[in-house]
Amino acid sequence: QVQLVESGGGLVQAGGSLRLSCAASGGFFSSASMGWDRQAPGKQRELVAASTSSGSTNYADAVKGRFTISRDNANNTLYLQMNSLKLEDAAVYYCTYRRNGLVYWGQGTQVTVSS
């Protein structure tokens, strides 16, 4: 079974930065499409950023220019660098794994943004 463990969340002031990490085990990390989703209270879960196995990336309009997704295939680790954080970015962030029609996600890590 694919296991995904997120870390790096916490409390940060608006305008600050955080770096989220996702440690993956099982599956085939290098050939999988990886990404980050988030869900805020009272809102639907939404895609934040994605990274294909070939290196292509895409971002939600709300985070373009502020967030950067990257991956370290040698260590089966996915990252999300979050800069210029806004109050609207507060949510639980989930690491996602997609390959061969299957989708997995981790337990999530909480990001809280204060004014």
Side-chain angles (χ1 to χ4, degrees):
Q1 183 181 8
V2 176
Q3 294 182 338
L4 306 169
V5 181
E6 302 95 334
S7 62
L11 174 64
V12 64
Q13 290 187 329
S17 299
L18 282 175
R19 191 191 195 196
L20 306 183
S21 297
C22 171
S25 61
F28 300 90
F29 184 88
S30 297
S31 60
S33 292
M34 303 295 300
W36 292 94
D37 292 350
R38 69 184 181 187
Q39 186 168 28
K43 296 183 179 180
Q44 292 185 325
R45 184 168 169 172
E46 62 181 356
L47 171 70
V48 176
S51 173
T52 71
S53 60
S54 62
S56 297
T57 60
N58 62 280
Y59 300 89
D61 288 341
V63 307
K64 286 181 179 177
R66 300 187 297 117
F67 291 10
T68 303
I69 188 171
S70 61
R71 60 197 295 164
D72 182 352
N73 287 337
N75 292 292
N76 290 357
T77 305
L78 182 74
Y79 301 98
L80 184 68
Q81 179 65 47
M82 310 164 67
N83 297 326
S84 302
L85 282 161
K86 303 177 179 180
L87 293 176
E88 308 92 272
D89 296 320
V92 177
Y93 284 72
Y94 300 90
C95 177
T96 63
Y97 169 109
R98 291 178 171 85
R99 186 176 183 272
N100 292 342
L102 298 177
V103 182
Y104 299 87
W105 60 90
Q107 83 288 349
T109 185
Q110 177 73 54
V111 172
T112 303
V113 183
S114 63
S115 60

